[in-house]
């Protein structure tokens, strides 16, 4: 295998941003027909490295070679022309345009007079989707109407439409459910068989063992090493990544539920949630499982007043309440860490300091005047507590690494000191070490009497953290399990089952 | 690198916001120098104070316009609201026989109400600000013309001209008024939760809403303020020119928006300062005056202003990109 010449090779790459040396001499290569995983903590430099490969950033030092020839990409287009395509952490599709238009954006087949050949565009899109074994995606659907899993397939199709020989995927599974992950793996394996070189970033080690042939680990922008996946174990990888071992993945604790603090009775919202009921007690963590589109986030957004309930009743401390806006919910002590950090959670062009204070501006103010001292104090504490890797609290949030952005969202909402905390995919994009930290924080908060409702598409996380597990399907809560009863199989079964014979929560 | 928490670097903190203002200041100085060279009347205290008098109406309306554009909105109806308030002030006083003080107060209320209507439709019905205020630009102007019946109102008592034509400590009275609102707006935008919320809305409205910021209430408030300031501008204007006509303030929205954008407020929302707007207002007025004094015709002036606007946007965009590339 070592005899195969690499498609793409990087050597001694150095890249700095003001205040940060993101990469300090990293080497990396990918061969045809292999999946090469890239591993490292949040802010280790993974995304920066792939942006160097794909022409977004120019390295300060070091060489990039394609097929053994040195290249100097000035733009992503140049990299694409050389057969290197990337799917970034934030998907970059145009929601109003159709699947076919997105796939061939910028390089659509042309008619003789220069106009776009729509028939050809559609036909070739359908062909590419076929070749990926995707049969349920219509080239004419607008991308905005698709699930995250499907959008990702569109991104892959787009990469292939440019005849990519190297496909880079930055945390493709972060937003996917198990079933979608399986399909994605199918596609990746298919591409590998075709001889495409795949670079794969993920914080889920299981996936790396499942899929990758080789793995390269980065730490603080430094190259730690490259190994054949079959030669390493999970603990070895973790200690390479974080420089220590993590003994316990999920904190052990005994739940001590108090009185009911939140109760939803048959709440509904047209088209997404139908008669969902649940209760949440002080001091417990309730996991909410379900497929994408089962209405979990929508239920959370009803409880938080983003889309006020059209029917049903919500009680806080046994009192009926009306929640018509997030401001109402906040006043009642509810916090919601949203699923989509880019659009719902953060104001990316603003500084860390200004983001963490956004939900508590009033509390930080004296007579409408923001107390800047207290704001900085808050930011300083949060950066320390969540180990946010930033050059300073004045760094613009959009320039943080993905996982560090997620930590800012968590910090922002915990600053409100809620009594009821709703978490929607709280550890998406967060590395193993930081994930354990966040789980510890969640446990501590529950122990102090906070009621936590956690939506997660990662079943191990649901099982590891929850005192009770609720399962949602087609806008209803269809099953509930105590910690003792909950198993992966039971939850998965309840998520999928299409009939209605369960007892309600 | 560990999670380093550096003390807030002062250059870093202000660099982004101030650069545009600094450029503008240089443009302003350069413009003054050139204009002073071309006409000797230009750089005289008398002329400058008089120009100060003339820019107050645009200045008053540019303050809330800055807030609105920071949130990503726009208010095209300010010139029409000014016309409507001006005519109503006269009509309330002369035709309805109200005391002049009450007529002024009532005209201000109408201005605020006109702005509130904009804000209400924009937030509650979801009409885009551009469309809504384009509609009320026509609507309010039409109302003003219907009410005035093409007749002007004149013959105001002497005390009424104090605001528009008088002086206080050697400076035109209305300039003090503008200065007062300028300081208030700058403080509100820079130091208060309200100001911070405006930037948040302009940069990401959804996230602002998810953060519990009362987005709709804030928007209604700024459009209402805009209407109120247009009413105030009407009062200053009528007092300055001694008569009321229904075509007052026609096209003034363009001067206002130009000043704000020239001052560095991004038309896409999210950035901008009151200081920048103030510089923009002054620059436009001085250009108009200086060019007129040096014999350039009205059309020529508009061309020059247009060119300066484009240049200033290009330069600040270039700087922003450079900064983006460094970071
Ligand atoms: N455009 C930029 N400007 C300034 N700093 C940046 C920029 N892009 C990345 N950084 C910094 O470079 C470092 C590496 O970031 P990178 O995004 O490569 O991390 P990552 O390994 O992908 O992390 P994650 O797992 O959280 O996605 C971080 O400290 C980040 O803040
Ligand atoms: Mg990343």
């Amino acid at each position: 295998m070592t005899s195969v010449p690499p498609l793409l090779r990087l050597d001694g790459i150095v890249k700095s941003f003001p205040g940060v040396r993101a990469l300090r001499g990293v080497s990396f290569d990918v061969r045809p027909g292999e999946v090469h995983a890239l591993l490292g903590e949040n802010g280790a430099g993974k995304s920066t490295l792939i942006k160097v490969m794909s022409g977004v950033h120019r390295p300060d030092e070091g060489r990039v070679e394609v097929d053994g020839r040195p290249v100097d990409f000035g733009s992503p287009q140049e990299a694409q022309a050389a057969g290197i395509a990337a799917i970034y952490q934030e998907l970059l599709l145009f929601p109003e345009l159709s699947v076919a238009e997105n796939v061939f954006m910028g390089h659509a087949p042309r008619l003789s007079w220069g106009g776009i050949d729509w028939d050809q565009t559609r036909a070739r899109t359908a062909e590419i989707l076929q070749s990926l074994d995707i049969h349920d995606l219509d080239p004419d659907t607008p991308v905005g109407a698709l699930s995250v899993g499907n959008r990702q397939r569109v991104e892959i199709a787009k990469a292939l439409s440019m005849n990519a020989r190297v496909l880079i995927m930055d945390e493709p599974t972060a937003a996917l459910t198990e079933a979608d992950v399986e399909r994605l793996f199918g596609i990746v394996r298919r591409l590998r068989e075709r001889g495409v070189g795949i670079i794969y970033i993920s914080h889920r080690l299981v996936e790396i063992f499942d899929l990758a042939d080789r793995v390269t680990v980065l730490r603080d922008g430094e190259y730690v090493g490259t190994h054949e996946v079959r030669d390493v174990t999970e603990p070895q990888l973790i200690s390479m990544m974080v420089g220590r071992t993590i003994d316990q993945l999920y904190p052990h604790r005994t739940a001590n539920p108090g009185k009911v603090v939140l109760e939803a009775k048959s709440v509904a919202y047209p088209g997404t949630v139908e008669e969902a009921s649940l209760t949440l007690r002080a001091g417990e963590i309730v996991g909410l499982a379900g497929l994408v589109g089962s209405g979990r986030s929508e239920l959370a957004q009803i409880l938080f007043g983003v889309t006020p309930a059209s029917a049903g009743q919500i009680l806080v401390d046994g009192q009926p309440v009306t929640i018509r806006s997030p401001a109402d919910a906040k006043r009642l002590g509810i916090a919601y860490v949203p699923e989509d950090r880019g659009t719902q959670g953060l104001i990316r062009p603003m500084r860390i300091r200004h983001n963490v204070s956004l939900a508590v501006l009033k509390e930080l103010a004296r007579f409408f005047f923001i107390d800047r001292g207290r704001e900085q104090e808050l930011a300083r504490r949060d950066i320390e507590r969540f180990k946010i890797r930033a050059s300073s609290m004045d760094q613009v949030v959009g320039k943080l690494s993905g996982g560090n952005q997620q930590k800012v969202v968590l910090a922002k909402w915990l600053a409100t000191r809620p009594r009821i905390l709703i978490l929607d995919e709280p550890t998406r994009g967060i590395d193993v070490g930081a994930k354990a930290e966040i789980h510890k924080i969640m446990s501590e908060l529950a122990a102090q009497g906070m009621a936590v409702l956690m939506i997660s598409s990662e079943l191990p996380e649901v099982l590891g953290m929850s005192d009770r597990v609720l399962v949602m399907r087609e806008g209803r809560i269809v099953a509930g399990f105590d910690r003792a009863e909950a198993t992966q199989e039971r939850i998965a079964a309840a998520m999928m089952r299409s009939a209605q014979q369960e007892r309600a929560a | 690198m560990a999670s380093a928490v550096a003390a807030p670097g002062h250059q870093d903190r202000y660099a982004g916001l101030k650069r545009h203002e600094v450029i503008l200041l240089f443009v302003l100085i350069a413009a003054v120098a050139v204009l002073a060279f071309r006409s000797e009347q230009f750089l005289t205290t008398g002329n400058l104070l008089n120009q100060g008098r003339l820019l107050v109406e645009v200045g008053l309306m540019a303050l809330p316009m800055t807030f609105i554009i920071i949130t990503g909105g726009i208010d095209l109806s300010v010139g029409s609201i000014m016309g409507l308030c001006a005519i109503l002030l006269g009509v309330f006083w002369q035709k309805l026989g109200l005391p002049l003080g009450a007529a002024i107060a009532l005209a201000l209320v109408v201005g605020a109400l006109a702005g509130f209507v904009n804000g209400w439709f924009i937030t509650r019905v979801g009409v885009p600000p551009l469309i809504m205020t384009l509609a009320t630009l026509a609507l309010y102007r039409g109302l003003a013309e219907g009410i005035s019946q093409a007749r002007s109102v004149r013959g105001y008592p002497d005390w009424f001209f104090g605001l528009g034509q008088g002086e206080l400590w050697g400076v035109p009275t209305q300039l003090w008024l503008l200065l007062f609102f300028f300081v208030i707006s700058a403080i509100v935008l820079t130091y208060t939760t309200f100001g911070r919320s405006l930037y948040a809305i302009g940069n990401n409205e959804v996230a602002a809403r998810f953060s519990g910021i009362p987005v709709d209430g804030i928007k209604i408030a700024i459009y209402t303020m805009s209407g109120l300031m247009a009413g105030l501008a009407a009062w200053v204007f009528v007092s300055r020119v001694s008569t009321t006509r229904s075509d007052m303030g026609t096209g003034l929205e363009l001067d206002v928006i130009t000043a704000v954008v020239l001052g560095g407020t991004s038309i896409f929302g999210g950035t901008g300062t009151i200081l920048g707007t103030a510089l923009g207002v002054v620059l436009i007025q001085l250009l108009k005056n200086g060019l007129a004094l040096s014999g350039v015709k009205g059309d020529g002036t508009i061309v020059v202003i247009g060119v300066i606007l484009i240049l200033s946007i290009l330069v600040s965009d270039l700087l922003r990109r450079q900064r983006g590339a460094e970071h």
Side-chain angles (χ1 to χ4, degrees), chain A residues 42-43 45-48 51 89 170-171 201 203 400-403 429:
Chain A
N42 295 131
K46 305 179 296 294
S47 298
T48 307
K51 284 180 184 161
Q89 235 163 332
D170 196 351
E171 298 192 32
I201 300 181
H203 289 294
L400 292 176
S401 81

Side-chain angles (χ1 to χ4, degrees), chain A residues 422-453:
Chain A
I422 307 173
L423 299 164
D424 203 344
E425 309 286 359
T427 57
R428 170 176 291 180
I430 286 198
D431 70 52
V432 236
K435 199 164 173 174
E437 289 293 324
I438 285 167
H439 287 153
K440 207 172 102 208
I441 293 175
M442 281 168 64
S443 303
E444 283 163 11
L445 292 171
Q448 289 161 19
M450 195 183 287
V452 181
L453 180 65

Side-chain angles (χ1 to χ4, degrees), chain A residues 269-305:
Chain A
Y269 188 78
T272 52
V273 176
E274 300 178 32
E275 295 205 354
S277 302
L278 61 80
T279 58
L280 199 57
R281 292 169 185 280
E284 72 173 347
I285 299 179
V286 174
L288 187 54
L291 298 176
V292 165
S294 59
R296 296 169 305 166
S297 299
E298 289 78 3
L299 175 59
Q301 292 181 8
I302 289 175
L303 298 176
F304 193 60

Side-chain angles (χ1 to χ4, degrees), chain A residues 230-428:
Chain A
R230 59 178 181 280
D231 297 341
V232 287
T233 64
E234 191 167 318
Q236 275 173 337
L237 282 182
I238 293 178
S239 74
M240 279 167 78
M241 262 167 72
V242 301
R244 68 192 152 92
T245 53
I246 294 172
D247 25 74
Q248 207 174 6
L249 234 32
Y250 296 103
H252 189 74
R253 63 191 189 90
T254 36
N256 187 11
K259 60 182 181 41
V260 173
V261 286
L262 178 75
E263 194 170 357
K265 287 184 177 165
S266 310
V267 294
Y269 188 78
T272 52
V273 176
E274 300 178 32
E275 295 205 354
S277 302
L278 61 80
T279 58
L280 199 57
R281 292 169 185 280
E284 72 173 347
I285 299 179
V286 174
L288 187 54
L291 298 176
V292 165
S294 59
R296 296 169 305 166
S297 299
E298 289 78 3
L299 175 59
Q301 292 181 8
I302 289 175
L303 298 176
F304 193 60
V306 177
T307 49
S310 60
Q313 203 181 24
I314 300 171
L315 297 97
V316 170
D317 294 328
Q319 302 296 316
V321 292
T322 39
I323 303 178
R324 306 216 59 83
S325 70
D328 287 348
K330 218 168 74 179
R331 234 170 280 128
L332 293 164
I334 304 176
Y336 172 56
V337 173
E339 162 184 42
D340 183 345
R341 61 176 172 251
T343 59
Q344 303 168 339
L346 293 172
I347 309 226
R348 299 181 70 215
M350 288 172 59
R351 300 163 198 284
I352 296 179
R353 180 158 61 94
H354 295 161
N355 267 281
V356 292
S357 66
L358 203 61
V360 289
L361 276 182
K362 252 195 214 142
E363 290 75 5
L364 287 180
R366 275 189 217 136
F367 297 121
F368 310 109
F369 287 89
I370 299 168
D371 183 334
R372 297 189 167 199
R374 287 177 62 195
E375 185 176 48
Q376 288 176 9
E377 186 52 44
L378 175 71
R380 193 169 298 132
R381 258 208 340 255
D382 283 341
I383 287 175
E384 210 162 295
R385 182 180 185 193
F386 292 92
K387 303 197 173 64
I388 296 171
R389 197 181 291 238
S391 54
S392 82
M393 67 172 84
D394 285 311
Q395 191 171 354
V396 165
V397 164
K399 297 201 166 151
L400 292 176
S401 81
N404 284 301
Q405 292 185 18
Q406 182 66 25
K407 294 180 195 172
V408 174
V409 187
L410 283 166
K412 164 183 161 185
W413 279 108
L414 288 181
T416 65
R417 298 198 211 178
R419 294 188 314 128
I420 301 163
L421 176 63
I422 307 173
L423 299 164
D424 203 344
E425 309 286 359
T427 57
R428 170 176 291 180

Side-chain angles (χ1 to χ4, degrees), chain A residues 165-217:
Chain A
R165 292 181 303 143
V166 175
L167 180 62
I168 306 170
M169 306 173 115
D170 196 351
E171 298 192 32
T173 52
L176 298 189
T177 49
E178 314 265 309
D180 280 330
V181 170
E182 274 313 314
R183 285 195 66 179
L184 177 72
F185 282 12
I187 294 172
V188 170
R189 293 199 177 100
R190 193 173 284 266
L191 291 174
R192 171 166 60 189
E193 277 159 29
R194 281 199 219 162
V196 177
I198 291 150
I199 298 163
Y200 186 90
I201 300 181
S202 176
H203 289 294
R204 301 187 188 166
L205 295 176
V206 201
E207 295 177 356
I208 287 169
F209 285 100
D210 225 18
L211 197 63
D213 303 299
R214 285 193 299 161
V215 52
T216 290
V217 179

